[in-house]
């Protein structure tokens, strides 16, 4: 299967209301051809609703959807030529793998003589070459999800929608499939819009991640930008592993936390309440070797949790403020962590000192 190119997707002010519930509230998004965009948000934030509007299963209450420049807002699903993969595979249990994968070709009434070769190509794409005759019941969960993928790709759609396709798989398989999907996307070149509530999954696979909350688009950006430049406290709490602490404004480029002034190398919002987002991996144990401009904090170790590749260290500042940091678990790093009850100094670089508005987009 060759690189078939992707569709440009434009969503203009899309809304969906169910009575008083705003499942989706005035969302606009431009997705470039061949982009992999994840829709990330907690349960009930409107991800499936937005995907349904794109696929044509849900009629928006307002706004429009354009694919490749065409207005498809009122085009039925089967005329949008979109590949779709759901969480629960939705395979036909009484059909063989080959019949399942060929189904979209039959539904489109394509010439029968082309099926065998296309099925072979699609199965090879998902690493299931030679599985044509197997029954669905004979497959593992991961293999079923691959069959669903092959079925979604067989008619070479330029846009593929996926709604939590890996959430039923166990962790190891899910992480392998994430990498496979990423590579598959590069080879296929289709535009992919992927729904997940798992931030690591979104960061692993996506060119950009759109954060949804209460039916609204809060922020859309590249993974590293979302991580390092969250628009507000909600995004900061949702991406990465951060401690969020209310802080007072101390100057144009500084805030105060428990009596300590912390400098930030980033712009600080001019108005409103502020929150400091300290990502666990940005906080380093002070040993005097770090650069002098680092912000220093001191407290008492309250717990040390061994988590394999790293230690999670919990710290209480003198006013009781709780923080946590990660330290690699190798000998040289781990031995710098004193026992519970002892004092520990940590520091945060001004470039890593992320201060965000408490609310708002
Ligand atoms: P997500 O996929 O992010 O979990 P959904 O898009 O499924 O969220 O739902 C968004 C909101 O819309 C939720 O509050 C949900 O209860 C509501 N909702 C979704 N579908 C319907 C429906 N058919 N009728 C009424 N409310 C709905
Ligand atoms: Mg959903």
């Amino acid at each position: 299967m060759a690189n078939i190119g992707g569709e440009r997707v434009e969503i203009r002010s899309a809304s969906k209301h169910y009575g008083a519930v705003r499942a989706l509230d005035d969302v606009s998004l431009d997705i470039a051809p061949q982009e992999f965009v994840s829709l990330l948000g907690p349960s009930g934030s409107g991800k499936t609703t937005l995907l349904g509007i794109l696929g044509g299963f849900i009629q928006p209450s307002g706004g429009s959807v354009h694919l490749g420049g065409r207005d498809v807002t009122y085009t039925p699903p089967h005329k949008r030529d979109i590949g779709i993969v759901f969480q629960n595979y939705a395979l036909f249990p009484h059909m063989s793998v080959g019949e399942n994968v060929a189904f979209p070709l039959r539904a489109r009434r394509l010439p029968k003589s082309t099926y065998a070769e296309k099925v072979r190509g699609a199965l090879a794409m998902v690493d299931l070459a030679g599985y044509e005759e197997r029954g669905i019941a004979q497959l593992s969960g991961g293999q079923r999800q691959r069959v669903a993928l092959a079925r979604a790709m067989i008619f070479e759609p330029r846009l593929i929608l996926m709604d939590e396709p890996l959430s039923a798989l166990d962790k190891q398989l899910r992480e392998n499939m994430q990498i496979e999907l990423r590579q598959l996307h590069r080879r296929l070149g289709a535009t992919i819009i992927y729904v997940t509530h798992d931030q690591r999954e979104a960061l692993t696979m996506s060119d950009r991640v759109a954060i949804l909350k209460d039916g609204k688009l809060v922020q859309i950006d590249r993974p590293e930008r979302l991580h390092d430049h969250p628009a507000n406290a909600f995004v900061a709490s949702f991406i990465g592993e951060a401690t969020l602490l209310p802080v007072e404004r101390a100057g144009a480029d500084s805030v105060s936390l428990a009596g300590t002034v912390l400098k930030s190398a980033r712009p600080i919002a001019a108005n409103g309440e502020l929150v400091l987002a300290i990502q666990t991996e940005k906080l380093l144990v002070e040993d005097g070797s770090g650069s002098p401009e680092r912000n220093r904090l001191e407290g008492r170790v309250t717990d040390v949790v061994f988590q394999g590749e790293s230690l999670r260290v919990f710290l209480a500042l003198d006013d009781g403020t709780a923080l946590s940091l990660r330290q690699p678990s190798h000998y040289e790093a781990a031995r710098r962590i004193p026992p519970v009850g002892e004092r520990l100094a940590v520091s945060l670089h001004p470039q890593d000192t992320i201060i965000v508005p408490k609310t708002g987009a």
Side-chain angles (χ1 to χ4, degrees), residues 35 168 345:
E35 228 187 336

Side-chain angles (χ1 to χ4, degrees), residues 36 39 48 52 55 74 84 88 100 141 147-148 165 215 226 233 280 296 303 318 332 336 346:
F36 193 130
L39 308 178
T48 295
Y74 300 103
I84 296 175
N88 51 3
N100 264 281
V147 173
L226 275 182
T280 52
R296 247 175 132 269
D303 203 358
D318 292 339
E332 291 285 359
R336 295 210 208 117
V346 295

Side-chain angles (χ1 to χ4, degrees), residues 7 15 33 60-61 69-70 72 85 124 128 149 162 165 187 210 226 248 287 314 320 339-340 343:
E7 200 78 280
S15 295
S61 311
R70 286 173 295 131
V72 298
V85 186
L128 287 178
L149 265 173
M162 303 192 192
R187 286 206 300 278
L226 275 182
E248 299 295 324
D287 60 359
F314 293 85
V340 169
R343 291 192 76 75

Side-chain angles (χ1 to χ4, degrees), residues 117-173:
E117 197 190 328
K118 282 188 191 285
V119 168
R120 200 178 313 124
L123 285 176
M125 196 85 191
V126 296
D127 242 358
L128 287 178
Y131 276 66
E132 281 88 341
E133 304 305 325
R134 301 270 183 111
I136 299 302
Q138 295 167 263
L139 303 179
S140 70
Q143 290 172 327
R144 287 179 202 193
Q145 196 49 274
R146 281 170 216 236
V147 173
L149 265 173
R151 187 178 62 181
M153 294 182 324
I154 193 159
F155 61 95
E156 305 191 350
R158 290 159 57 81
L159 172 61
I160 303 176
L161 306 179
M162 303 192 192
D163 196 349
E164 313 228 9
L166 308 183
S167 59
L169 307 179
D170 64 42
K171 185 170 183 286
Q172 189 70 56
L173 184 57

Side-chain angles (χ1 to χ4, degrees), residues 8-159:
R8 171 178 299 285
V9 179
E10 294 158 88
I11 301 152
R12 298 257 166 277
S13 298
S15 295
K16 180 66 184 180
H17 304 160
Y18 296 102
V21 177
R22 286 167 183 257
L24 202 68
D25 193 4
D26 195 17
V27 168
S28 296
L29 265 180
D30 272 358
I31 297 169
Q34 312 206 345
E35 228 187 336
F36 193 130
V37 171
S38 288
L39 308 178
L40 175 67
S43 176
S45 57
K47 307 180 296 293
T48 295
T49 302
L50 180 51
L51 212 68
I53 289 173
L54 281 165
F57 323 114
I58 296 176
Q59 277 297 306
S61 311
S64 61
V65 177
H66 304 255
L67 299 183
R70 286 173 295 131
D71 187 337
V72 298
T73 314
Y74 300 103
T75 306
H78 64 278
K79 293 200 171 143
R80 295 189 186 195
D81 267 343
I82 298 174
I84 296 175
V85 186
F86 293 110
Q87 173 181 353
N88 51 3
Y89 330 123
L91 297 175
F92 304 110
H94 55 284
M95 291 186 195
S96 68
V97 166
E99 287 166 337
N100 264 281
V101 174
F103 187 80
L105 305 178
R106 261 202 283 156
R108 285 174 173 73
R109 302 187 188 290
L110 296 174
K112 271 218 163 63
S113 57
T114 64
Y115 291 10
E117 197 190 328
K118 282 188 191 285
V119 168
R120 200 178 313 124
L123 285 176
M125 196 85 191
V126 296
D127 242 358
L128 287 178
Y131 276 66
E132 281 88 341
E133 304 305 325
R134 301 270 183 111
I136 299 302
Q138 295 167 263
L139 303 179
S140 70
Q143 290 172 327
R144 287 179 202 193
Q145 196 49 274
R146 281 170 216 236
V147 173
L149 265 173
R151 187 178 62 181
M153 294 182 324
I154 193 159
F155 61 95
E156 305 191 350
R158 290 159 57 81
L159 172 61

